[in-house]
Structures are given as C-alpha cells and as structure tokens.
Amino acid sequence: MKPAAPAVAVATLLLAGAVGCSAGDASPEMEPAAAAVARAAKSSDGITSFRYRITGTVPETGRVHGEAAMNVEPLAMSMRMTAEDRADDGQVEIRLVDGAMYIGGGAEAAKETDGKSWIKFDLSATGADGELNSEQLGGGQAGKNPAAESTFLTGSKDVKKVGSETVEGVRTTHYNGTVTLDALEKSFDKADKATREKRQKSIEQYEKMGVDRLTMDLWVDGDDHTKRFRMRGDADKGPLDMTITFFDVNKPVTVAAPPARDVADLAEMMKDGGA
C-alpha cells in the first residue's frame, strides 16, 4: 500500500535540515549582507517550535503545497501535503509523535487496510533482514528541523541585499545569493563532529537529486529571524523551486496520534504477511 506516494516523497524531502544547524556569530570583517545572513542563521539555534507553509515545484512530482507545525524538543510534527499535479493520490497527512510516524491515506488507503485510514511506522522497527529502518521509513528526515535550511545562504560568496519587502504583514529585508554544495560542505569543517554530521545530513537529499548549486533568497525580519526562504536548483529530473514561510515561532505546538481504531500498524502488517 502506498498512500499518496508523491506527497509522502515531497514531505520527506522538505523535512530535511538539521536541528540547531547554524553558521555561528557574524564576524566584524563580514560584509553587511553576509553578516545579516549569519545573524539569521545563528538565531535558528533558539527556535523551539514553529508553523510553516510550503509551496513550489519538485522534480517528478510537480507543483506542491502544504502546511506543517513542529515542536523541536520533545520532537513532534504534523503536516498536510498536496501534490497538485497528482489528483488521484496527491494528498497526505503525516504526524510524528512519541517516536512513531503516522501517514494518513484517507478513504482510498482505508480500502486496503480493513477500513483503517492511517499507517503507523515505528521508527525503531527493523525488518528480519535489517533493511527496514527509520531512514527508509522517512524517520531520518522527519526528525529534522526545516528552518535550518535557511542557513545554507551563509555558504554563499556572492550574497547581497535586494531590498525591503513585506512578507505576511511583517517588514523584512530580502537577501539573495548562490551556493554550491561543495562550498557548503567545506564550510562545515570548523564545526564540532556532532554539528558537522547534522549539517551534512541536511544536504544529502540535494546530492541524491543531482543538485550541485542552489540559488537562495532569504527574507529576515527585524529580530534577525528568517521569515521566508526560497531555494532553486537544477536536479537530474527537473527543476527544484521551493519556498517556505514561517509563522508562530516559539509558540506551543501540540500533536496527537490518530485514534487507535483508525491505525494499521506496519509492524503487525508485516508480521501477519510473513514479510
């Protein structure tokens, strides 16, 4: 059973970016635009929860949009994602709570699971051959903080101020630049091992897509918080163009598991199926 497979794939991609991934403090010798971007990256360390909107285009899947909310510690997340060019199976809801990920496939999914519209993935589960793990179930991506991807612009050598703009009623400063994944990885060298590993994971999905250079736009508010960012790049199977807008930063986020009567447990399904 593959409930809303395109939207699930997009959700997995968009939930990438390591928690606490920042560029550090701005140094005095930085250009003003680069220093402002560095301060915005540093401020991501203090984010404990947020809501966000996703819009754009993803290779193979096409146009997507979604809304989500995340609590960083303890980790909890909910997301509704729609692949607009996949009318038949393009909608999905994902919840990550209490160490498990739930994927809602709606009425169509329920036809294949005895009327249960949700599938539960225990992120610590492994198959008999060890091939089923949290990374393949999406847990490796769903446990990350998407706000951290805005820090990618700190790896740019050509970042510049575009001007002042209002985003969702908030006055912001717009910055733009390009960054290669090679330069981004090199910028991780000064970080400690744990931080370096988190940052490396935050770009792996782009490497797998064949993206080697990103054009980024960043909108920063008066408190040095990222309000919106846009990432564009050429992947092996088409253009990538995603925009994420943030709301309700550091306001409480509560996520509840679906009712047990509506949930099919993947581990039990595999056990019953002998796979």
Side-chain angles (χ1 to χ4, degrees):
M1 174 178 150
K2 297 190 296 181
V8 171
V10 173
T12 299
L13 167 68
L14 296 174
L15 290 171
V19 172
C21 169
S22 70
D25 296 313
S27 60
E29 62 271 16
M30 279 186 175
E31 294 294 330
V37 168
R39 288 194 300 271
K42 180 64 176 176
S43 73
S44 70
D45 286 343
I47 294 177
T48 59
S49 62
F50 50 88
R51 300 180 187 276
Y52 57 103
R53 180 193 304 134
I54 301 163
T55 59
T57 303
V58 175
E60 294 191 276
T61 300
R63 295 172 301 154
V64 299
H65 74 265
E67 294 194 3
M70 174 176 279
N71 191 75
V72 175
E73 186 63 40
L75 180 62
M77 181 274 296
S78 65
M79 170 182 280
R80 291 180 182 269
M81 177 67 65
T82 300
E84 297 181 32
D85 297 325
R86 303 292 186 97
D88 294 337
D89 63 350
Q91 295 184 333
V92 68
E93 182 176 356
I94 296 175
R95 298 182 192 178
L96 180 62
V97 60
D98 296 332
M101 183 164 67
Y102 299 85
I103 297 182
E108 288 301 312
K111 292 178 182 179
E112 302 184 38
T113 53
D114 296 327
K116 299 181 185 297
S117 55
W118 291 84
I119 293 182
K120 176 183 178 180
F121 296 85
D122 182 346
L123 300 185
S124 63
T126 58
D129 58 1
E131 292 183 0
L132 182 62
N133 56 52
S134 62
E135 290 291 333
Q136 291 162 319
L137 292 177
Q141 301 297 343
K144 306 302 193 302
N145 180 345
E149 291 197 1
S150 65
T151 68
F152 284 7
L153 190 54
T154 59
S156 173
K157 302 299 183 183
D158 61 359
V159 62
K160 62 182 180 296
K161 177 180 175 180
V162 178
S164 297
E165 299 175 20
T166 299
V167 177
E168 301 291 337
V170 176
R171 194 68 173 169
T172 69
T173 303
H174 180 186
Y175 300 94
N176 171 271
T178 58
V179 59
T180 66
L181 296 194
D182 285 344
L184 193 58
E185 288 183 291
K186 289 178 181 178
S187 72
F188 300 164
D189 290 344
K190 297 180 180 180
D192 59 76
K193 181 179 179 181
T195 301
R196 187 166 60 249
E197 289 176 351
K198 289 179 181 179
R199 293 178 179 181
Q200 179 61 42
K201 287 182 179 180
S202 71
I203 65 172
E204 287 178 356
Q205 78 278 7
Y206 295 102
E207 294 175 330
K208 290 177 182 177
M209 292 172 64
V211 174
D212 57 12
R213 177 186 295 271
L214 291 166
T215 298
M216 289 198 63
D217 290 270
L218 188 70
W219 288 263
V220 180
D221 68 19
D223 294 323
D224 291 328
H225 290 146
T226 297
K227 181 63 178 176
R228 172 179 288 170
F229 74 96
R230 181 184 184 189
M231 306 178 73
R232 289 168 287 166
D234 293 321
D236 290 339
K237 297 183 179 180
L240 171 72
D241 187 347
M242 295 303 305
T243 299
I244 295 182
T245 304
F246 296 97
F247 308 90
D248 298 336
V249 174
N250 291 340
K251 294 184 179 180
V253 168
T254 301
V255 181
R261 64 179 180 275
D262 297 331
V263 176
D265 191 304
L266 177 65
E268 294 299 323
M269 293 168 64
M270 293 180 63
K271 187 183 301 181
D272 294 341

